[in-house]
Amino acid sequence: MKFTNGYWLTKEGFTINHPYVIRDTSETKDILTLYAPCKVIKDRGDTLNTSSLTIQLSSPLEDVIRVRAWHHKGAKNKTPNFELIDNSIPLNFTTENGAEETIFHSGNMKVRVERDPFTIQFYYGDKKLTQLDTKGIAWVQGPEKESYIRSQLNLNVGEYIYGLGERFTPFVRNGQAVDIWNEDGGTSSEQAYKNIPFYLSNRGYGVLVNHPENVSFEVGAEAVSKTQFSVEGEMLEYYIVSGTNSKGILRNYTQLAGKPALPPAWSFGLWLSTSFTTDYNEETVNHFIDGMAERDIPLRVFHFDCFWMKEFQWSNFKWDEDAFPDPESMLQRLKAKGLKICVWINPYIAEKSPLFDEAAEMGYLIKKNNGDVWQWDLWQAGMGIVDFTNPAACKWYQSKLKELLDMGVDCFKTDFGERIPIDVSYFDGSDPDRMHNYYAYKYNEVVFELLKKEKGEQEAVVFARSATVGSQKFPVHWGGDCDTTYESMAESLRGGLSLSLSGFGYWSHDIGGFENTASPDLFKRWTAFGLLSSHSRLHGSSSYRVPWLYDEEAVAVTKHFAKLKNKLMPYIYRTSVDNHLTGVPVMRPMLLEFSQDPNTHVLDRQYMFGDSLLVAPIFNEEGVGTYYLPDGNWTHLLTGNVVKGGSWQSKKYNYLDMPIFVKENTILALGEKNDRPDYEFAENVTFTIYELKDDLLAETSVTNLDGKQIGNVTAIKKGKHIAIETNMKELNYSIALKGYDTISSISSGELETDSGEVKIKLHGSHELNIVL
């Protein structure tokens, strides 16, 4: 929220009160408390009739500093709250300049507090990250005597801000005003389904504002040299998170807010949907599934969208018997074809649904303040909303979903959860403003926990649209309702990259766009992009998304990239295990891998798919790919051509090709199978070694379907010698040296030479010494 009128004036009706000095401090082993009057104190009389702010500094984890500031602390504590780790790290205090400065550390972070003038500086090692100056914390009183707490952190020259959830506006947030308030606004507006009050700076830190309610951010938008954020009320709490680099920041942030679960390997395969408003029954479903098989397009998941239930009755969790007279048998027939089954759900109960009366009678729906059930007609006539603050309502909702799981359903598309009213009362007394965003967490938690219980932790996965802080624990998430244009394809990618910098590891989007019907050209380009995303789904609104309805080349493109993704699964799943352990996302903006290259800091039309593959989707009818390659030698994955980096590239690509480059000094694991994503990744795997750098170790590993590492390979080049080590001697595998066509000697193994690639079939060897 903006409180000023330009640089000099305050908005009419508002009063901004900020500290000038720190008048007093107190210390415990893990908290530094500052007492800061909002007035210059010249004599004892100045201590009267003035406001004062209390500021506490502490550390819940190493390299994380919590800032808590309040004006009046007597307000009732409101719920819900984000589920954050708090280990209370002891602080080691020192004082300087005659006690005018207090310094403490948490891990590699250092905080310097200056009393007069009021200043708090945050460092990582000796590098200053940002600071609060005399206006950095303020209590603001509005024209109706309402209160706000506002904070401002310095924006340095050349500093860029990212994140704040899945946002489709420009990737760099500088100059934007953002309200953290979940809305069902599509992908073409400033509204967002997944608002996360966490941002990341290219200067080496992130900030989480620990408030589930609406948080207003002005990123260089009100005070152009500040990132400003504010909440209504008397208290503000936020965390400054640092790390060795941008990846380290995300590691520490997800340590604080929760690591993503590891999705099952089958979920990385191609999903096909009935689409939204299309007509369908079992015959239609089988026609599409069999059509994919006949065209040799590997399909892993079939999704039934909304109309699997009878119209006007969403959600009743009962199959529409007119279209599906024997759903249980149908599901078994589909599963016999090797498919997993997903069905669409939402947390709303239409008045016509038989479940409405049941839920209303039991008190399972959100109520108006007068005790009536809250209802409206937007989306479903007379619908109510399940109150997930009521434990009995959660169990009731889960019991309806369990019937579907028992029938053969494997997972759920947890749609909606954004349009949550605030003129309501909750079972547990939760504050409606704080529940508006947090509802997405509770909704998906209820569904995800059921799947873990019934299917096992390794099998739980949802396809979610709404989210808040912590929702990354319940993957996967998709980008919502996009249009069928290149502009919408690009804005979808911006949203996914923004979400990845907000702590989310997995992201998908509707291939070809949701609204309307894509041209064959756009569909083919979007398909290539979609099948090089962490999760891949063909889904639309009013038309089917099977590729042969576009043209025969679309069939070839879908088959080509679906099989490529399946071959890449040893690499993709190892990357996913890494995300589960560290919080570093699978799809990641270029700046995460190349933070030292300032050219990467604004790139939003390309990304790293894991740590070794660069992907640049094509966003035009001309088929021209324009992309930036950082320094080094980059090998095109499909052609083997090597391109020297450090510059922009532009080239025309056919539909079966796109810019996919392997970073130098990479060992890339490619699987044996291309017909499915879930197989024994280590069996007959090929490790391909790309462009080794002298004296720089290259390494990779391979996991099983449970995410456990079962083998690794390392390679290092010293002049004309390459030493390869592996602990996979009990398995069948091979190693390929990309770009080498001559080897004078080798210690063990059989050689196959093929135009620039040497393949080595191993026989249980642990070490190989190769002379080029």
Side-chain angles (χ1 to χ4, degrees), residues 481-484 512-518 540-542 545:
D481 298 345
C482 48
D483 202 358
T484 51
F514 176 74
E515 298 289 352
N516 305 305
T517 302
S541 177
S542 56
R545 289 293 185 265

Side-chain angles (χ1 to χ4, degrees), residues 256-405:
L256 181 70
K259 304 288 185 190
L262 177 65
W266 56 259
S267 72
F268 291 81
L270 181 59
W271 298 45
L272 176 63
S273 165
T274 56
S275 292
F276 173 32
T277 59
T278 50
D279 292 328
Y280 59 90
N281 51 28
E282 184 176 355
E283 182 181 1
T284 310
V285 168
N286 276 296
H287 172 69
F288 290 144
I289 291 171
D290 294 342
M292 298 288 275
E294 290 163 6
R295 292 165 176 85
D296 194 26
I297 300 173
L299 182 66
R300 195 62 183 94
V301 183
F302 191 82
H303 168 68
F304 290 87
D305 216 54
C306 311
F307 283 96
W308 71 273
M309 292 180 281
K310 195 173 286 291
E311 62 186 21
F312 289 110
Q313 295 193 31
W314 304 340
S315 296
N316 63 6
F317 306 115
K318 299 295 183 184
W319 293 84
D320 181 349
E321 293 182 355
D322 294 334
F324 306 104
D326 187 6
E328 189 164 3
S329 296
M330 176 192 68
L331 293 182
Q332 296 310 309
R333 289 190 288 272
L334 294 178
K335 293 173 78 70
K337 296 180 179 182
L339 296 173
K340 296 288 186 178
I341 304 298
C342 175
V343 297
W344 175 95
I345 62 171
N346 68 21
Y348 310 143
I349 310 294
E351 189 170 84
K352 190 180 178 184
S353 167
L355 299 183
F356 183 90
D357 289 342
E358 181 182 338
E361 180 180 350
M362 299 296 290
Y364 294 162
L365 301 176
I366 296 172
K367 292 183 173 63
K368 297 180 181 178
N369 291 324
N370 65 2
D372 295 341
V373 172
W374 185 95
Q375 292 178 264
W376 71 355
D377 295 328
L378 190 60
W379 183 243
Q380 289 288 281
M383 63 169 241
I385 303 177
V386 177
D387 184 351
F388 290 118
T389 73
N390 184 340
C394 295
K395 292 180 180 179
W396 172 83
Y397 191 83
Q398 288 177 327
S399 71
K400 307 305 178 185
L401 300 185
K402 184 178 182 304
E403 293 178 13
L404 295 166
L405 297 179

Side-chain angles (χ1 to χ4, degrees), residues 130 153-156 158-164 170-176 198-203 205-207 217-220 226-227 498 501 591 601:
T130 188
L153 292 169
N154 275 20
L155 272 174
N156 286 273
E159 182 174 355
Y160 292 142
I161 300 299
Y162 314 90
L164 297 177
F171 177 56
V172 176
R173 297 280 160 254
N174 297 48
Q176 298 181 42
F198 172 78
Y199 68 78
L200 187 144
S201 165
N202 66 341
R203 194 166 172 83
Y205 68 96
V207 174
F217 286 86
E218 287 76 39
V219 185
K226 312 287 183 185
T227 299
S498 179
L501 293 180
L591 68 99
H601 292 193

Side-chain angles (χ1 to χ4, degrees), residues 3-66:
F3 302 104
T4 59
N5 177 13
Y7 185 74
W8 307 111
L9 303 178
T10 301
K11 285 176 66 174
E12 186 174 351
F14 288 86
T15 304
I16 300 175
N17 305 275
H18 60 81
Y20 290 85
V21 298
I22 297 171
R23 190 69 175 178
D24 196 8
T25 66
S26 65
E27 299 173 7
T28 66
K29 68 176 183 177
D30 52 11
I31 296 176
L32 173 64
T33 304
L34 315 174
Y35 302 94
C38 299
K39 184 178 181 180
V40 176
I41 307 298
K42 296 179 180 178
D43 55 42
R44 289 185 172 185
D46 291 328
T47 64
L48 306 176
N49 304 315
T50 188
S51 57
S52 180
L53 296 181
T54 305
I55 302 160
Q56 282 189 344
L57 300 171
S58 59
S59 178
L61 295 168
E62 286 194 354
D63 296 337
V64 178
I65 302 298
R66 176 170 47 207

Side-chain angles (χ1 to χ4, degrees), residues 24 30 46 82 105 130 149 162 251 349 393 415 425-426 441 443 454 469 484 511 518 537 640 655 661 665 706 762:
D24 196 8
D30 52 11
D46 291 328
F82 296 136
H105 295 80
T130 188
I149 302 291
Y162 314 90
R251 288 187 186 99
I349 310 294
D415 204 354
S425 295
Y426 284 93
Y441 181 92
Y443 165 36
E454 297 297 322
V469 172
T484 51
I511 293 175
R537 183 179 69 156
Y655 291 114
F661 287 91
N665 218 66
D706 292 330
L762 302 178

Side-chain angles (χ1 to χ4, degrees), residues 261 405 445-461 473-474:
L405 297 179
E445 180 186 43
V446 164
V447 178
F448 199 83
E449 290 303 314
L450 172 70
L451 288 166
K452 283 172 58 176
K453 178 182 177 182
E454 297 297 322
K455 294 286 186 178
E457 188 166 352
Q458 300 290 341
E459 289 291 299
V461 66
K473 294 185 288 186
F474 318 127

